[in-house]
Amino acid sequence: MAEEIHSANIVIPWCMLTTTLLNGVLGFAMLLAILFVTTDISSALTSPTGTLGFPFMQIFYTATNTLPGASAMISIVIIMDICAAIAFLATSSRIVFAFGRDKGLPFWRTMATVQDDSAIPLYAIMVMALVSCVIGLINIGSAIAFNAIISVGVSSLYASYVFTEALLLWHRCTPGSIQHARNINKENWHAKELV
């Protein structure tokens, strides 16, 4: 989607580095806050909500000592999860649409179709919603398998950010080491020139 942004060579790296640093700092602050108010981890894990896989609910209840306070904090987490799910669905369906448009997926004609009345790629959205539901069904069979699949996805996402940011940093620190495509000799080129 970088082709839709003005001055992408400056805006995209700046956004990637800023979001990585901001999310890292805020995530670490949240981790410290949760660890500070967690008095007994084993009781949070064995609580009724902990056995369902949501020990943070018991941690919130223990920290506030009131049901309304814990409910308000839990509601904030649920609202953030809903907003994140909508953003993930929009992003992933946009990627499926872009791959379909570039003929990079099976059934690419269907995936690249945009509805005339709503101007949205409805088939790409439906495919990604179905994939999300199927991945969610894994949790019914085995929570360990579900967590393993999600962990691989999250680790891959972070690895892709680190790899891309490392290449951007290398490009900035060693000027002239990576050539733009328009400056590459058409007969003789190397893989590092295309990075």
Side-chain angles (χ1 to χ4, degrees), residues 8-32:
N9 59 340
I10 298 196
V11 173
I12 299 293
W14 177 256
C15 289
M16 287 180 67
L17 291 172
T18 304
T19 55
T20 302
L21 291 174
L22 186 63
N23 286 328
V25 169
L26 291 177
F28 186 68
M30 187 68 182
L31 176 68
L32 289 179

Side-chain angles (χ1 to χ4, degrees), residues 151-175:
S151 297
V152 166
V154 170
S155 300
S156 300
L157 177 70
Y158 287 137
S160 70
Y161 275 112
V162 168
F163 184 68
T164 306
E165 290 169 351
L167 285 176
L168 287 170
L169 183 63
W170 180 60
H171 176 63
R172 299 286 176 162
C173 292
T174 56

Side-chain angles (χ1 to χ4, degrees), residues 44-59 77 81 139 143 146-147:
L45 292 173
T46 57
S47 68
T49 58
T51 56
L52 291 174
F54 304 109
F56 72 92
M57 293 181 179
Q58 182 62 38
I59 292 170
V77 172
D81 283 345
N139 201 18
F146 175 76
N147 288 332

Side-chain angles (χ1 to χ4, degrees), residues 97-119:
F97 167 73
F99 273 117
R101 181 190 60 201
D102 296 339
K103 302 177 185 176
L105 287 176
F107 309 108
W108 60 269
R109 284 189 179 91
T110 306
M111 295 301 125
T113 304
V114 176
Q115 302 299 316
D116 293 330
D117 54 342
S118 60

Side-chain angles (χ1 to χ4, degrees), residues 22-78:
L22 186 63
N23 286 328
V25 169
L26 291 177
F28 186 68
M30 187 68 182
L31 176 68
L32 289 179
I34 291 291
L35 290 176
F36 182 74
V37 298
T38 304
T39 55
D40 187 11
I41 293 176
S42 60
S43 67
L45 292 173
T46 57
S47 68
T49 58
T51 56
L52 291 174
F54 304 109
F56 72 92
M57 293 181 179
Q58 182 62 38
I59 292 170
F60 288 167
Y61 180 70
T62 305
T64 59
N65 286 327
T66 62
L67 195 56
S71 298
M73 294 174 72
I74 292 166
S75 298
I76 293 170
V77 172
I78 291 171

Side-chain angles (χ1 to χ4, degrees), residues 68 142 173 195:
S142 171
C173 292
V195 176

